[in-house]
């Protein structure tokens, strides 16, 4: 069966600095009509980084949509035209003060493909060097590293609620011997 939805018309609702919103009128595979509310985002990157002290770097940051402070791996949005690996290196240094010369792709994913085109690339980094933390003016972050032998307990707790962090840490544990 063909699952393709043909866009018949679209209306731009909002064009912002981070997202654009549109409503599309679509024709469904069976010929019926429907509406789709879509969020367009340039994409994002995240880094699961292992320090020389055998710790994974996590950051605490208030997330307005969730109305709470969350524990996450370092992450950020892509600038228009920016290379994903370079963006990941930039975000890691800006948020943590660590530099990674070599990043390995863990996965690329769509967090909410039912309404958003945001594609997230998650990388792994080790052999870190000290750099310079450089937060955005509206960014408030606290580092909260976790020792490798504490990750499994952290994953079993209800502390982590961020999908990219859960995926990255589970991947790390499954592949830990390859990352040493």
């Amino acid at each position: 069966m063909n699952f393709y939805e043909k866009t018949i018309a679209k209306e731009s609702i909002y064009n912002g600095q981070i997202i654009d919103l549109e409503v599309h009128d679509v024709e469904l595979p069976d010929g019926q009509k429907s509406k789709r509310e879509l969020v367009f985002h340039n994409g994002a990157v995240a880094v699961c980084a292992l320090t020389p002290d055998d710790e994974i770097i996590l950051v605490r940051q208030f997330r307005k949509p969730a109305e709470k402070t969350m524990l996450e791996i370092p992450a950020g949005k892509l600038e228009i035209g920016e290379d994903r690996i370079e963006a990941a290196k930039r975000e890691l240094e800006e948020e943590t003060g660590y530099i990674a010369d070599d990043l390995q792709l863990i996965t690329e994913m769509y967090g909410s493909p039912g309404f958003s085109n945001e594609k997230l690339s998650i990388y792994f980094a080790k052999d870190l060097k000290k750099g310079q933390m450089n937060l955005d003016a509206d960014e408030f972050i606290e580092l909260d590293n976790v020792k490798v032998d504490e990750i499994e307990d952290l994953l079993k707790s209800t502390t982590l609620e961020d999908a990219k962090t859960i995926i990255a840490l589970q991947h790390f544990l499954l592949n830990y011997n390859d990352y040493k």
Side-chain angles (χ1 to χ4, degrees), residues 93-137:
E93 185 176 9
E94 284 178 5
E95 292 190 359
T96 71
Y98 282 98
I99 296 172
D101 291 328
D102 183 40
L103 297 176
Q104 296 174 305
L105 182 65
I106 290 174
T107 193
E108 293 185 311
M109 61 184 247
Y110 293 94
S112 299
F115 66 87
S116 176
N117 76 334
E118 179 187 15
K119 185 176 186 177
L120 173 70
S121 301
I122 305 174
Y123 295 92
F124 174 76
K126 64 179 184 177
D127 301 325
L128 305 176
K129 295 175 250 168
K130 201 64 179 142
Q132 181 67 41
M133 204 169 175
N134 185 23
L135 300 175
D136 294 337

Side-chain angles (χ1 to χ4, degrees), residues 121-164:
S121 301
I122 305 174
Y123 295 92
F124 174 76
K126 64 179 184 177
D127 301 325
L128 305 176
K129 295 175 250 168
K130 201 64 179 142
Q132 181 67 41
M133 204 169 175
N134 185 23
L135 300 175
D136 294 337
D138 64 348
E139 200 169 34
F140 299 88
I141 291 176
E142 178 181 284
L143 296 181
D144 192 355
N145 297 355
V146 60
K147 294 204 172 290
V148 168
D149 61 4
E150 296 172 352
I151 293 173
E152 188 172 350
D153 289 338
L154 181 61
L155 285 166
K156 288 179 182 177
S157 75
T158 59
T159 304
L160 296 177
E161 298 179 274
D162 175 63
K164 70 182 174 298

